[in-house]
Amino acid sequence: MAYSIAIDIHGETRQSGRKLLENKLKSLPKDTREIVVIHGYHQGNTLQQMVRSFKHPMVERKILGLNQGETIFLIKK
């Protein structure tokens, strides 16, 4: 049961982080409903901006929590 999956892309470049997200979305287990994307914040917000503007047909919406280093993607059913 893979209801929630985390992916850590902090330390990656903008391009490699985007590629990791795209690959993760392609290989999701069917029962996944959310992805917690850990992009970091203290070393700059380039990855944060990329993640929060990221568009993909499987992502229904994004949740911006209190932790500025994470964004949650809710996956379409």
Side-chain angles (χ1 to χ4, degrees), residues 6-76:
I7 181 170
D8 186 347
I9 64 168
H10 82 284
E12 299 289 334
T13 65
R14 187 178 186 102
Q15 290 176 331
S16 65
R18 181 174 197 77
K19 191 70 172 165
L20 285 170
L21 285 176
E22 290 169 351
N23 289 340
K24 179 59 83 176
L25 285 164
K26 285 180 188 174
S27 63
L28 280 181
K30 298 262 187 240
D31 57 348
T32 303
R33 294 294 170 246
E34 68 179 35
I35 300 175
V36 178
V37 182
I38 304 164
H39 46 69
Y41 179 73
H42 294 293
Q43 300 297 321
N45 63 351
T46 301
L47 287 173
Q48 179 193 53
Q49 290 173 351
M50 182 275 294
V51 168
R52 292 185 175 180
S53 66
F54 183 81
K55 303 235 186 283
H56 192 279
M58 290 179 70
V59 178
E60 183 174 340
R61 68 183 174 114
K62 299 173 195 128
I63 298 174
L64 313 179
L66 296 176
N67 181 348
Q68 293 185 15
E70 293 182 357
T71 302
I72 300 171
F73 288 177
L74 296 182
I75 305 301
K76 291 181 182 175

